[in-house]
Amino acid sequence: MLDDFVGDTSPLFCYLLMITKEGILKIIRGLLKEKDIFLVSVDIGRTHNIRVVVDSIHGLPVSDCVDISRTIEQNLDRDVADFEIEVTSPGLGSPFKVKEQYLKNIGREIEVILKDGRTLKGLLVGTGDDQFCIEQEKKVKIEGKKKKGIIKERHEFAYNDVSKARNIVKM
């Protein structure tokens, strides 16, 4: 009965064969787990330009990006819908999108822009399920001393309170 409504050129046929984020995730889920890689994002453009951003706590070799790209390509049919694939890792200064990126960057200096507009810079010292912690060094006047001393101040933030967080790249 469905064949009566779904011909090779019908809009329903085209809809059923659209490339979706969920479809891409199904294709690569096993490979990501096998290689200990986490997904940062999947974006699909109107002309089926597929951009997959992945990373790993231990670093991401180019060969893993190639394997993911090939896996996607082998599971999609270019005769049905032409597509273009880009599999990459996030750039050094790219904003964090998933919790795993915070975990990967423990011990590095980051910049945090909160939803209330405040900006803080500090060393990422810990992460949890719902929050992360940075440590800032501040110079303050210490009672009984002529010179200012350095103290460390810790700040905890819920991921939901953050507008943007990223590595500070020093050259």
Side-chain angles (χ1 to χ4, degrees):
M1 175 127 176
L2 184 61
D3 292 334
D4 295 337
F5 299 103
V6 183
D8 287 338
T9 58
S10 80
L12 183 56
F13 179 78
C14 293
Y15 175 76
L16 292 172
L17 296 173
M18 284 178 43
I19 298 171
T20 65
K21 289 181 185 184
E22 294 77 19
I24 298 299
L25 289 174
K26 283 180 186 176
I27 291 170
I28 63 174
R29 184 172 289 127
L31 185 60
L32 295 179
K33 188 177 248 186
E34 173 189 319
K35 293 185 174 276
D36 199 23
I37 296 171
F38 60 86
L39 181 70
V40 176
S41 66
V42 174
D43 296 307
I44 301 172
R46 286 184 20 224
T47 57
H48 295 146
N49 295 334
I50 305 165
R51 185 168 196 270
V52 179
V53 182
V54 292
D55 207 347
S56 171
I57 300 293
H58 312 292
L60 187 69
V62 172
S63 59
D64 286 348
C65 293
V66 171
D67 290 345
I68 294 167
S69 178
R70 286 185 179 151
T71 299
I72 294 169
E73 186 157 11
Q74 290 168 358
N75 285 280
L76 296 178
D77 187 353
R78 286 191 187 276
D79 292 335
V80 174
D82 195 21
F83 56 89
E84 190 177 302
I85 304 171
E86 176 187 2
V87 178
T88 186
S89 63
L92 281 177
S94 297
F96 300 164
K97 293 184 177 181
V98 295
K99 293 176 190 176
E100 291 88 349
Q101 288 178 289
Y102 289 87
L103 181 62
K104 177 184 178 169
N105 288 288
I106 289 177
R108 295 190 175 125
E109 193 171 353
I110 67 169
E111 175 184 60
V112 178
I113 301 172
L114 300 171
K115 289 182 178 174
D116 66 10
R118 291 183 294 153
T119 300
L120 294 109
K121 294 179 182 179
L123 190 68
L124 181 59
V125 293
T127 65
D129 289 337
D130 300 319
Q131 78 246 357
F132 64 97
C133 181
I134 66 169
E135 188 174 80
Q136 286 184 308
E137 288 186 351
K138 288 188 171 185
K139 286 185 178 183
V140 295
K141 176 93 168 117
I142 298 177
E143 192 175 320
K145 294 192 176 185
K146 290 183 181 182
K147 286 187 171 183
K148 288 184 176 182
I150 295 177
I151 63 163
K152 292 183 179 182
E153 220 173 55
R154 286 187 175 228
H155 304 279
E156 287 191 11
F157 303 102
Y159 296 112
N160 293 339
D161 294 336
V162 175
S163 175
K164 183 175 165 181
R166 64 179 181 86
N167 277 325
I168 295 176
V169 182
K170 294 182 180 178
M171 304 233 183

